[in-house]
Amino acid sequence: YKESAAHQYSSSANTGPTDPLALERAARLYRSAASVCEASCTWSGQLPPRSSTAGPNSSYSTKIFLGGVPWDISEQTLVQAFAEFGEVRVEWPGRDYTSPPRGYLYLVFQEEGDVTDLLAKCCQDYNTRDSYYYKISSRRMRAKEVQIIPWVLTDSNYVRCPSPRLD
């Protein structure tokens, strides 16, 4: 499947850029190949327990998850909504301007303190661990609660020589 995507792109590249979307189509085919091809390696075993929950003394990544985002909100509106916490960049996976956006994205702040300031202004759901909620508005929805999930750095597991074996 990957070969057909690469071939499709290379054949269009050899004949010249007749179709400006050929590269995008080839990239989309290549990205979706993993969902239709069998995995050559699999991992089985138990995941290590999370070392901590988000809390006042946690150390956070500057990248956070935002879920339940209104479909009609713009990137500019998001940046404005979170500007009070610091400079922020929006990463919207799968967003192309020809289709409606998915309801989740990532915000990347400059400093860890920006994330801590945001979490301090959020409502927290203590039943579902590490879930915070913050209200934003779009053209059609006023005061919509979006879910914020911070990444606690102590939950990162970097292992130089991994012991779990691939089957």
Side-chain angles (χ1 to χ4, degrees), residues 74 87 93 110:
S74 70
E87 190 175 326
Q110 290 292 312

Side-chain angles (χ1 to χ4, degrees), residues 58-77:
S58 296
S59 186
Y60 298 105
S61 165
T62 57
K63 186 174 186 174
I64 63 169
F65 172 85
L66 215 66
V69 178
W71 64 270
D72 66 331
I73 200 161
S74 70
E75 197 168 311
Q76 181 182 7
T77 304

